[in-house]
Structure formats: structure tokens, C-alpha cells
Amino acid sequence: MIKATFYVPQSLRGFLGSLGSAGRHNLFSAAAAAVCDLVRRHIAAEAPRRHFSASRLGATPTGHLEKAARKTVFHADATHGEVVIPAPGFGRAFHDVNIVPTNANYLTLPIDGRSYGRRVGELRALGWAFFTPAKGHDKEDILFGYRGKGKDKEVVPLYLLKKHVEQKQDRSLLPSDAEIGATATRAMMSEIYRVGRKAGLA
């Protein structure tokens, strides 16, 4: 999960100081809603361009990014607004990420369409058993799967085993800081204008 938090832009700080808590809350809610929509649309647009792993393995995309876009929400109060993406991996938009195993000795990286988007336990439930070649073998870092018997038995390299994976920062996962700031400011200005018109001030 990652949160993108934003505060009042410099150009509006004087104005916000004259508002009560409810007025500031309304402005930050408007800004947060607009930025949330921007983030959702950006992630959804990026998703089709990031299916290269699935395409390379002849697998069906997991839909991870599309699900993240749908689950993205916003919150606001009288001091700030924030957009929350309740999905792993988006920290990479802001910094390099080092992924390490948590409940296992190795990360299992899929190298076959049958293992793409599936954990070892899921394949085991489908009838697969697993083995790794003896230490010193040139494929000792491969987790093989096998199922069936006799001439129908299939043996397939399913996962690459890694102690950790380094992922470089990829800012394009999310809108730029400039886009987020401009969207938030426009939304606040629109809300100010809307309230002003309602009160007969604009």
C-alpha cells in the first residue's frame, strides 16, 4: 500500500487561512477526489503497456494494475488530502525496491505460462510436485514441477529461485508530481468558484 499526500498549494495558503475547518475539509476533499481520479486513469492506461511478462510467457495477465486502479481511494480532512493505493509495488514509483522472501528461503519468479500469476501452493493443489537439481548443477536455481506418470509425465521448469530482486525506480507508474499538484490546485479553484457562485459572490 502507498499513500500520496498533498497539502495546500502556496498560491492558496492565504485564502485557506481565512476558512473554517469545514471549508478547508471541502477543499481538500475536492482536491483528493480529483487526484484519485487522475491516479486511477493513469494506472488503468499503464496496465496494457506492462503485460510484457505475461506475453513473453504466453500467459494471461494477472490484472494486478487494473485491480489496483479500481481499489484506489481518497481521504481528506481540514489539513490535507491523500490518495491511497492498497496494492503492493507502487513504492517503486518513488524509489528503488529490494524484494526479499518473507516466509520462504527464496523468491519464486515464474518462467513458464503455467506458473505465471500463481504461487507454488496453488500449483501443488492442481497436482504438481516440485524438485530442484542437486547443488552444483547448472540449473540448481530452477524449481521444476512435474505431474502425471509414465509416458504422460511432464517435467517443466516453472520458477527461477532468487534470494532477492532489485527493482529500479519507475516514476511512470504514477502521474508526475507536477500533474498531481496541478490537478489538486485546479480542483480547489473549481470548488472555491462553485461555493462563491452558490453564495452569490462570483
Side-chain angles (χ1 to χ4, degrees):
M1 181 176 71
I2 189 167
K3 296 180 181 181
T5 304
F6 49 92
Y7 301 89
V8 60
Q10 184 71 37
S11 59
L12 294 177
R13 286 183 183 176
F15 176 79
L16 256 71
S18 67
L19 294 179
S21 176
R24 293 194 301 272
H25 189 178
N26 284 344
L27 284 185
F28 279 118
S29 292
V35 173
C36 183
D37 182 62
L38 171 70
V39 170
R40 285 173 176 165
R41 287 187 287 106
H42 182 92
I43 295 173
E46 281 292 306
R49 295 195 285 269
R50 295 174 180 272
H51 290 161
F52 42 83
S53 293
S55 298
R56 177 172 54 84
L57 297 176
T60 301
T62 62
H64 166 73
L65 290 178
E66 291 88 346
K67 292 173 187 174
R70 290 193 297 270
K71 291 181 179 179
T72 296
V73 296
F74 70 90
H75 305 289
D77 59 24
T79 63
H80 73 286
E82 66 181 20
V83 172
V84 181
I85 308 170
F90 283 90
R92 188 181 170 205
F94 303 106
H95 51 74
D96 295 348
V97 173
N98 182 36
I99 304 173
V100 297
T102 52
N103 298 313
N105 293 323
Y106 294 94
L107 297 170
T108 49
L109 310 181
I111 54 176
D112 186 89
R114 283 158 284 199
S115 55
Y116 183 80
R118 287 175 167 167
R119 298 179 183 274
V120 171
E122 293 177 71
L123 289 185
R124 187 173 283 118
L126 293 173
W128 290 88
F130 299 90
F131 72 92
T132 53
K135 193 169 182 61
H137 192 282
D138 63 353
K139 289 184 171 54
E140 65 176 288
D141 59 348
I142 301 293
L143 182 62
F144 286 81
Y146 65 94
R147 64 178 175 179
K149 295 182 179 180
K151 64 178 182 179
D152 295 323
K153 183 176 181 179
E154 57 180 329
V155 180
V156 183
L158 293 174
Y159 298 96
L160 177 64
L161 302 177
K162 288 281 191 178
K163 283 288 189 181
H164 69 97
V165 171
E166 295 277 354
Q167 291 186 327
K168 293 297 182 183
Q169 179 183 358
D170 182 357
R171 189 63 185 82
S172 66
L173 274 169
L174 294 174
S176 69
D177 292 340
E179 288 178 284
I180 290 173
T183 299
T185 300
R186 282 196 302 270
M188 284 186 172
M189 293 300 296
S190 294
E191 178 65 9
I192 291 169
Y193 184 68
R194 184 191 71 78
V195 172
R197 287 188 61 186
K198 186 176 180 181
L201 300 177

